Amino acid sequence: MSGLSWKIKLISSISNFVMNLACRSDGTVNRRLSAFLDYKVPPSVKPINGVKTSDITVDQSRKLWFRLFTPINANADNSRMPVIVYFHGGGGVFLSADSSAFDTLCRRFAKELNAVIISVNYRLSPEHKYPCQYEDGFDVITFIDNNPNFEGFPTDGADLRNCFIGGDSAGGNIAHHVAVKACRREFTNLNIIGVIAIQPGFGGEERTESEIRLASGAPFLNVERIDWFWRAFLPEGSDRDHPAANVFGPNSGGDAISGFDFPATVVIVGGFDPLLDWQKRYCEGLKRCGKEAYLIEYPNAFHGFYSFPELRESCLFINEVRDFMQKQCEKLKE
């Protein structure tokens, strides 16, 4: 992609270099090396860019917690903000809810989407393989449902009845599977009305056209690294047609969610993402199951474009997500 700024090219090059060194051939991770790119940011009671943050522990034994992002003065018109339970990207292997990149991203979401963000710090692979991440995500939404007045939550300014589950990359995969688990439970205080899947990480044994075309030439993500992530995440002996990866594939039991009241879903994709075709298939699979699903495609966007607010596509993306959320919230008023 010749049109990328020097800043994006530099960040992509450094990121890929460090990940290549940190991801060992034996399937383990050099955590000390990967920490080189993972600057941690503490929570801030004093608002930064109009958003204050705090960290809430769910289960200390497995270091399960989330970061709460609350916009200040956001409900001046006395309307209550929606809530987004968010899962960060990083292949399910890297980064965390207090990583600088995701603290900045979720702070932006909170301010520009006028929403309360609950960013989940789930366990990472390969130390914790499938289904640990899905269990962590579901336990967080169960915690919120059971403790709607947890410390720091703006009960007078946010509405758990307007709740979305979202995530980017590997986090988009987690968001889907947590939403599926949530379909099997009746909540008391929580009402999940939408899924926001931002370049979600899905896959399969088949090599798609986008994987072949962008095998090694796309910023931030290549097919070799994607395959490594799946080996780190999936159970020993599994291939990429495992239902966790290929959710509508040969081992998924057919249209597995047809019988569930699965929330409306928006799927954000980019033309220079090797995972593009799998993401499109995910959206098509939802529609085939009779679910409400919307595909938003940015032909010139690479994997992770949303992290760069200076990009035109990143601004358009925020507007599309805002429109989707407003549409879903309005349905409850009808």
Side-chain angles (χ1 to χ4, degrees):
M1 295 181 66
S2 59
L4 294 180
S5 69
W6 68 266
K7 171 189 170 183
I8 294 175
K9 289 180 180 179
L10 179 62
I11 294 174
S12 175
S13 296
I14 294 174
S15 174
N16 288 332
F17 178 74
V18 173
M19 280 200 296
N20 286 339
L21 292 178
C23 296
R24 300 184 178 116
S25 59
D26 64 358
T28 62
V29 175
N30 185 330
R31 291 292 178 197
R32 293 183 66 180
L33 183 58
S34 66
F36 175 76
L37 282 180
D38 192 10
Y39 177 69
K40 305 294 186 183
V41 177
S44 175
V45 176
K46 181 179 179 180
I48 299 175
N49 294 332
V51 179
K52 61 181 181 179
T53 59
S54 60
D55 292 346
I56 309 297
T57 298
V58 176
D59 184 349
Q60 183 62 46
S61 67
R62 53 181 151 147
K63 298 181 181 179
L64 178 60
W65 56 273
F66 60 83
R67 177 158 291 181
L68 178 70
F69 295 79
T70 306
I72 61 171
N73 303 323
N75 60 332
D77 59 355
N78 295 321
S79 62
R80 300 179 72 189
M81 295 176 288
V83 176
I84 303 175
V85 179
Y86 194 80
F87 300 96
H88 67 81
V93 174
F94 297 113
L95 306 175
S96 59
D98 59 350
S99 295
S100 175
F102 286 105
D103 182 85
T104 299
L105 182 65
C106 287
R107 197 178 296 276
R108 180 187 177 204
F109 286 165
K111 182 175 182 179
E112 297 190 22
L113 297 176
N114 191 26
V116 171
I117 311 297
I118 293 172
S119 180
V120 180
N121 194 72
Y122 55 85
R123 289 171 289 177
L124 299 176
S125 298
E127 295 87 349
H128 303 282
K129 288 179 173 286
Y130 164 93
C132 292
Q133 293 78 2
Y134 304 158
E135 292 171 347
D136 288 353
F138 185 72
D139 287 349
V140 166
I141 64 173
T142 301
F143 171 87
I144 296 167
D145 185 59
N146 292 336
N147 303 276
N149 299 316
F150 66 82
E151 183 179 358
F153 185 73
T155 54
D156 58 340
D159 189 358
L160 288 174
R161 307 302 296 174
N162 287 339
C163 182
F164 296 82
I165 297 180
D168 66 283
S169 194
N173 176 292
I174 297 171
H176 166 80
H177 287 284
V178 171
V180 171
K181 289 173 70 70
C183 289
R184 301 186 177 101
R185 178 188 172 97
E186 185 172 337
F187 295 99
T188 302
N189 298 292
L190 203 65
N191 183 37
I192 300 169
I193 62 173
V195 174
I196 303 168
I198 307 167
Q199 295 185 294
F202 297 111
E205 282 297 296
E206 175 192 347
R207 283 293 180 225
T208 65
E209 187 278 334
S210 63
E211 287 177 312
I212 296 170
R213 172 170 53 90
L214 300 166
S216 59
F220 293 101
L221 192 64
N222 60 56
V223 171
E224 181 182 0
R225 184 62 54 232
I226 294 168
D227 289 351
W228 192 97
F229 285 151
W230 284 126
R231 289 194 297 272
F233 173 71
L234 295 173
E236 295 295 336
S238 300
D239 63 22
R240 295 188 302 273
D241 280 334
H242 187 284
N246 197 348
V247 295
F248 296 111
N251 300 323
S252 66
D255 293 340
I257 65 170
S258 294
F260 294 136
D261 187 17
F262 195 80
T265 302
V266 61
V267 184
I268 309 295
V269 305
F272 283 89
D273 184 351
L275 295 174
L276 170 64
D277 290 338
W278 288 113
Q279 294 155 358
K280 286 184 172 181
R281 290 187 187 186
Y282 170 62
C283 189
E284 292 165 0
L286 292 175
K287 292 180 178 179
R288 188 172 63 248
C289 291
K291 309 309 175 186
E292 183 181 353
Y294 305 92
L295 182 73
I296 308 296
E297 181 174 1
Y298 301 108
N300 295 320
F302 53 87
H303 194 85
F305 76 94
Y306 44 85
S307 296
F308 298 92
E310 66 270 25
L311 294 177
R312 175 177 176 272
E313 289 86 355
S314 184
C315 297
L316 293 174
F317 149 76
I318 289 289
N319 292 334
E320 293 281 6
V321 172
R322 185 189 299 114
D323 290 346
F324 169 77
M325 293 176 64
Q326 290 176 348
K327 179 179 179 181
Q328 302 311 315
C329 291
E330 286 296 324
K331 289 181 182 179
L332 295 182
K333 301 177 182 178
E334 296 176 355

